[in-house]
């Protein structure tokens, strides 16, 4: 419910905590591991072990990981593939990054400018909402 209210831009108090990005990713992936196996998608993790904690809303961060990973798996559902998730910092170690990439079919050039539009999806009816 909180995610839908946030998405619709209604005020919901954020719960920001100190957290490890690796833990957010690992917890998120526990939800989709079965789906990955069913679609012959191998999940490859590469975490920088020296990443400092960050401050954020774990629910929002997990939703980002789940949404992007689900879209990646959808792009690989026909032939399988690899889903790569990694964490790293910049050389000064002042910023923390998460990278998600896959070996899927990619995004059609005609759709690239709309990927962050609410409710926009290229999936067939019944396969996704674009949330």
């Amino acid at each position: 419910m909180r995610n839908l209210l946030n998405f619709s831009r209604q005020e919901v108090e954020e719960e920001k905590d100190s957290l490890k990005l690796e833990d957010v990713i690992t917890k998120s992936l526990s939800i989709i591991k079965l789906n990955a196996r069913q679609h012959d998608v191998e999940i490859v993790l590469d975490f920088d072990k020296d990443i400092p904690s960050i401050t954020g809303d774990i629910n929002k961060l997990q939703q980002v990981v789940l949404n992007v990973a689900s879209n990646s798996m959808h792009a690989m559902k026909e032939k399988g593939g690899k889903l790569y998730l990694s964490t790293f910092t910049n050389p000064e170690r002042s910023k923390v990054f998460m990278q998600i990439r896959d070996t899927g079919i990619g995004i059609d050039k005609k759709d690239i400018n709309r990927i962050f539009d609410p409710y926009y999806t290229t999936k067939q009816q019944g396969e996704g909402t674009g949330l």
Side-chain angles (χ1 to χ4, degrees), residues 114-130:
R114 301 200 58 204
I115 62 172
F116 294 110
D117 290 356
Y119 302 106
Y120 179 74
T121 184
T122 58
K123 296 174 184 169
Q124 300 296 319
Q125 188 169 359
E127 290 185 347
T129 62

Side-chain angles (χ1 to χ4, degrees), residues 37-79:
R37 278 192 299 252
Q38 290 173 337
H39 289 102
D40 197 26
V41 173
E42 178 186 353
I43 298 174
V44 180
L45 304 175
D46 182 19
F47 298 136
D48 179 341
K49 297 295 181 190
D50 296 325
I51 291 218
S53 294
I54 61 171
T55 301
D57 184 320
I58 191 167
N59 294 316
K60 286 184 179 180
L61 289 169
Q62 283 182 316
Q63 194 63 48
V64 168
V65 173
L66 284 171
N67 287 349
V68 175
S70 294
N71 285 342
S72 290
M73 284 192 289
H74 185 266
M76 296 184 285
K77 72 179 183 180
E78 299 296 324
K79 298 180 181 176

Side-chain angles (χ1 to χ4, degrees), residues 21-37 41-47 58 61-73 76 82-87 98-101:
L21 194 51
E22 177 180 342
D23 295 340
V24 173
I25 294 169
T26 303
K27 188 173 181 182
S28 301
L29 292 179
S30 68
I31 297 169
I32 60 172
K33 280 185 178 180
L34 177 62
N35 192 17
R37 278 192 299 252
V41 173
E42 178 186 353
I43 298 174
V44 180
L45 304 175
D46 182 19
F47 298 136
I58 191 167
L61 289 169
Q62 283 182 316
Q63 194 63 48
V64 168
V65 173
L66 284 171
N67 287 349
V68 175
S70 294
N71 285 342
S72 290
M73 284 192 289
M76 296 184 285
K82 292 187 179 185
L83 173 61
Y84 300 91
L85 294 104
S86 59
T87 60
M98 172 178 56
Q99 181 179 54
I100 303 173
R101 59 190 174 91

Side-chain angles (χ1 to χ4, degrees), residues 88-127:
F88 55 95
T89 61
N90 60 342
E92 298 81 28
R93 302 193 69 74
S94 60
K95 294 182 181 179
V96 174
F97 297 91
M98 172 178 56
Q99 181 179 54
I100 303 173
R101 59 190 174 91
D102 63 62
T103 59
I105 59 174
I107 301 169
D108 195 311
K109 287 181 182 181
K110 70 178 178 53
D111 298 314
I112 197 72
N113 291 325
R114 301 200 58 204
I115 62 172
F116 294 110
D117 290 356
Y119 302 106
Y120 179 74
T121 184
T122 58
K123 296 174 184 169
Q124 300 296 319
Q125 188 169 359
E127 290 185 347

